Amino acid sequence: MDFATLASQFFIGLSRGMIFFIVSAGLTLIFGVLRITNFAHGALYMVGAFIAYSVSTLFGQGPYGFWLALLVAPIAVMFISLVIERGLLRFIYNRDHLIQMLLTYSLVLIAGDLVKIIWGTEYKSMHIPEALRGSFNLWGASLPWYNAFLLVVGPVVALGLWFFLSKTNLGKICRATATDREMVDVLGINSTKVFAMVFALGGWLAGLGGALIAPTTTISMGMDASIIIYAFLIVVVGGLGNIWGALISSIIMGVGEAFGILFIPGVAIIIPYIIAGVLLILRPSGLLKSAW
Amino acid sequence: MSTNNLKLIENPKGKFNTYLGLGIAAVGIIVLLLAPGFLTQYYVYLLATVFTTALLATSLNLVLGYGGLLHLHHGVFFGVGAYTVAIVTTKTSWPFAVAVLLAPLVAALIALVIGWFCVRLRGLYFGMLTLALGQLVWAIVYRWNALTNGDNGIHAIPVPEFLTSINSVYYATLLILVISLIILYIITESPFGLMLLATRDNPVRSESVGVNVKRHRLTAFVIAGFFAGIAGVLFVLVERSVAPSLLFWSESAEVLIMCLMGGLTVFMGPMLGAGILVLLSMVVGLYTEYWLLVLGLLLLLLVLFLPQGILGYLMEIYNKSQDKRGGN
């Protein structure tokens, strides 16, 4: 086990952490502002991957297909989220966690079968675009270009979210809603609009995560079930509603998992659960301060 | 924001007439005792599955409905119980009875370990930790090939001679179910059960009058795990095979749906939900492969229009009519 292997595994874990972050940032935003435990987030991620596949296939898996998919899939998922929020979620904001959770879980079940009806059950795969194929040398270790690309996208998304939340008016309203919803209402701000927008943004992030993961994996039913648990763990470990907490715990999970694969390949699957369990036991309310 | 208790439980103990309840239960048991004489083998098997699931759902409700805790991964203890029987019977030469006795104990032990960590957290965090630790157990079962046969599961589990016919399995599961339910019912009516309700409805006040909230919750968690382990034994009797998917979180979610469907506030609620879901999945399965779509739509309607569950709703009507009569 030389340094190069460790370094390349570290970067692969880090890039996987970026996907985790993009997905769980949406989840934690929704948590923080809407106070909804959105099980359907994984389903939106899966739908994003399938739409990305379809868009890319439409262009014969050519060079433009991927970039167009990356643009279209998140927006499509964003619109789906908007319909879900306006059509269903807004009726259950005052209910308790179990009811909200089960409502979003019903969407998981429905989405699963709808995907099966629309795209069929066979595994799908999508090509990595020409420009991002192959790998390059980094301190003697080889790192695939696509992972390097993810390492760029992740921070860009994080920066964008930071700018949105702390520099724009709307973002400030979002944070205010997360802290004290009633006060925001009292100030005469239409929190309904904020809720719809945040849920749509969360959906966009889930779709983006799905579109980004699509070329690196087989796109299949059930990819929602595994990501949603990871995303939940990341969000809770990071502190509910705290995006930076989600970033930190995404990186811990991604890198932890990558090293797990390197050192104990047989049981690497249990690493994220162990990390989450230990962190939750050590810091029951999350790494960073939760939004509420 | 208090995230501790479930708001939808406003009337935890309906004023239902005890004698009427006992009467219904007695008639139900007599019908079920006679049922195999009139049914084909398949339906007998299906009913045995209902009994298994009913016990699992009722045990979950001790934590969920009575304890008010967001227990998201109860299926783990069910799976651990089933795997204990499977492993003891196929890997050791111990008698079957030992396997059966060991299963609920192992399940309770795992529940003690998981619960010990979980009861320190509140609300959603509690739920998430049950999910994390439960999935950890799933991952271990899934990967520990030498012990659990990994992804393939364990099949053709040997059972004693007298439990080979489906009718005898039916009566065995019915007997164990009834005994377990009586014990669970006594627990919910006992001082401990009442104390548990108090910790659910007002944990702060309970604490301040000297109730050890965490210990009560942990006890309920372990008892629920124990009975889920028994349900796991029943599962092995009925199916004679186990697979790691038993411990996956989506299985637990289905049990949650059963509890909600029947009603969290009524002792018999989860049982009704289990019966409906198991039978419905069979009926729907005859017509379409999209059972999950149907379940999803059903759950959606349930959550939006009948969050108190079927029995919860009936209980509301019943209580209202009783109040009226009392007023006259």
Side-chain angles (χ1 to χ4, degrees):
Chain A
M1 195 80 45
D2 54 352
F3 176 73
T5 322
L6 286 178
S8 97
Q9 200 66 11
F10 173 78
F11 282 110
I12 284 170
L14 205 58
S15 67
R16 189 150 164 74
M18 290 300 119
I19 297 265
F20 287 162
F21 167 67
I22 289 169
V23 175
S24 53
L27 192 62
T28 208
L29 253 182
I30 293 169
F31 254 139
V33 180
L34 281 71
R35 299 181 190 186
I36 289 243
T37 37
N38 184 20
F39 266 96
H41 206 69
L44 293 173
Y45 161 90
M46 174 174 71
V47 170
F50 271 97
I51 293 178
Y53 161 80
S54 284
V55 171
S56 155
T57 308
L58 210 61
F59 286 80
Q61 301 261 21
Y64 301 112
F66 171 78
W67 301 107
L68 203 65
L70 208 53
L71 184 73
V72 172
I75 293 177
V77 175
M78 186 177 82
F79 277 108
I80 295 171
S81 313
L82 207 56
V83 171
I84 291 172
E85 199 276 339
R86 287 290 85 190
L88 295 170
L89 288 186
R90 68 188 172 112
F91 298 113
I92 54 148
Y93 284 139
N94 299 322
R95 302 285 190 73
D96 62 64
H97 290 311
L98 182 69
I99 292 292
Q100 296 173 342
M101 225 176 239
L102 286 176
L103 185 129
T104 59
Y105 187 68
S106 76
L107 298 175
V108 174
L109 297 171
I110 294 169
D113 266 0
L114 284 183
V115 164
K116 199 155 77 175
I117 290 169
I118 297 171
W119 281 283
T121 48
E122 64 271 26
Y123 291 145
K124 308 267 187 292
S125 64
M126 190 174 142
H127 293 307
I128 294 176
E130 205 71 54
L132 296 174
R133 264 177 230 168
S135 46
F136 65 102
N137 216 322
L138 191 86
W139 304 323
S142 84
L143 184 69
W145 275 111
Y146 195 79
N147 291 71
F149 170 66
L150 291 178
L151 285 177
V152 176
V153 176
V156 168
V157 169
L159 270 178
L161 281 175
W162 168 80
F163 181 81
F164 169 71
L165 285 174
S166 40
K167 297 292 163 190
T168 67
N169 216 359
L170 212 51
K172 284 176 186 163
I173 293 173
C174 284
R175 284 191 300 143
T177 313
T179 320
D180 193 338
R181 189 194 307 187
E182 276 159 34
M183 199 62 206
V184 171
D185 280 338
V186 169
L187 289 172
I189 293 165
N190 187 350
S191 61
T192 308
K193 234 182 220 167
V194 177
F195 281 17
M197 195 206 61
V198 166
F199 197 77
L201 177 61
W204 184 83
L205 286 165
L208 182 66
L212 283 171
I213 200 81
T216 67
T217 176
T218 49
I219 306 162
S220 64
M221 314 260 322
M223 64 189 285
D224 57 339
S226 48
I227 191 83
I228 190 62
I229 297 295
Y230 280 12
F232 265 139
L233 296 181
I234 285 165
V235 165
V236 174
V237 165
L240 284 178
N242 192 314
I243 289 192
W244 311 118
L247 180 60
I248 295 171
S249 54
S250 295
I251 292 173
I252 294 176
M253 288 281 193
V255 173
E257 194 193 44
F259 281 133
I261 291 168
L262 194 64
F263 292 117
I264 36 171
V267 290
I269 189 173
I270 69 173
I271 298 285
Y273 304 115
I274 289 183
I275 293 175
V278 169
L279 287 177
L280 273 180
I281 289 158
L282 293 179
R283 286 191 66 91
S285 51
L287 292 174
L288 299 185
K289 192 169 169 289
S290 84
W292 41 277
Chain B
M1 177 174 166
S2 158
T3 50
N4 243 334
N5 36 17
L6 296 163
K7 269 179 269 164
L8 68 138
I9 303 165
E10 274 163 2
N11 182 14
K13 284 164 62 69
K15 291 168 275 181
F16 203 64
N17 190 319
T18 319
Y19 296 108
L20 191 54
L22 279 178
I24 293 173
V27 171
I29 290 172
I30 289 170
V31 169
L32 289 176
L33 279 176
L34 298 175
F38 302 97
L39 296 172
T40 60
Q41 292 229 320
Y42 177 68
Y43 286 96
V44 174
Y45 155 80
L46 210 61
L47 277 179
T49 306
V50 170
F51 299 156
T52 305
T53 323
L55 180 55
L56 176 61
T58 309
S59 71
L60 168 62
N61 204 36
L62 185 67
V63 179
L64 187 74
Y66 288 83
L69 296 168
L70 210 54
H71 185 9
L72 299 182
H73 213 336
H74 196 53
V76 162
F77 310 125
F78 178 64
V80 165
Y83 263 95
T84 305
V85 177
I87 290 167
V88 170
T89 50
T90 55
K91 309 260 166 173
T92 70
S93 52
W94 298 347
F96 190 73
V98 174
V100 168
L101 292 176
L102 215 51
L105 294 177
V106 174
L109 184 70
I110 302 280
L112 179 66
V113 175
I114 291 183
W116 190 81
F117 291 114
C118 291
V119 292
R120 302 196 287 167
L121 308 185
R122 291 186 306 119
L124 214 47
Y125 284 95
F126 176 93
M128 286 299 136
L129 195 60
T130 57
L131 204 55
L133 296 178
Q135 282 297 96
L136 178 62
V137 176
W138 164 78
I140 292 170
V141 169
Y142 187 74
R143 282 292 163 180
W144 196 347
N145 277 317
L147 188 68
T148 64
N149 212 10
D151 199 10
N152 297 322
I154 301 172
H155 303 284
I157 297 164
V159 294
E161 196 72 41
F162 70 96
L163 281 172
T164 44
S165 88
I166 186 66
N167 275 2
S168 54
V169 168
Y170 175 91
Y171 285 116
T173 48
L174 181 60
L175 178 70
I176 295 172
L177 172 72
V178 170
I179 294 172
S180 303
L181 288 179
I182 291 171
I183 296 171
L184 275 169
Y185 187 73
I186 292 172
I187 289 172
T188 61
E189 293 290 311
S190 69
F192 166 77
L194 299 178
M195 213 75 106
L196 189 64
L197 290 179
T199 65
R200 177 196 74 192
D201 293 334
N202 200 332
V204 178
R205 186 180 285 183
S206 303
E207 192 84 61
S208 65
V209 297
V211 179
N212 190 332
V213 172
K214 278 178 196 163
R215 188 180 296 163
H216 278 81
R217 287 179 171 168
L218 183 58
T219 310
F221 202 84
V222 172
I223 293 171
F226 182 85
F227 282 97
I230 294 180
V233 175
L234 300 187
F235 180 85
V236 172
L237 289 184
V238 177
E239 300 287 340
R240 282 196 231 152
S241 69
V242 292
S245 62
L246 278 179
L247 291 88
F248 200 66
W249 67 272
S250 47
E251 288 290 317
S252 298
E254 239 173 87
V255 185
L256 276 173
I257 298 173
M258 290 167 190
C259 289
L260 187 80
M261 180 175 279
L264 299 174
T265 57
V266 190
F267 183 77
M268 304 285 265
M271 237 178 299
L272 179 72
I276 292 176
L277 274 198
V278 172
L279 295 178
L280 200 66
S281 75
M282 188 276 297
V283 174
V284 172
L286 293 178
Y287 297 100
T288 166
E289 57 173 310
Y290 300 114
W291 155 243
L292 292 182
L293 181 66
V294 175
L295 179 62
L297 291 172
L298 200 67
L299 177 60
L300 196 60
L301 294 175
L302 197 67
V303 165
L304 290 177
F305 302 111
L306 201 68
Q308 68 276 54
I310 296 167
L311 278 189
Y313 177 69
L314 293 180
M315 198 64 101
E316 270 174 24
I317 295 176
Y318 179 83
N319 285 343
K320 250 179 226 162
S321 71
Q322 288 299 96
D323 286 349
K324 252 182 220 154
R325 205 177 295 168
N328 283 342

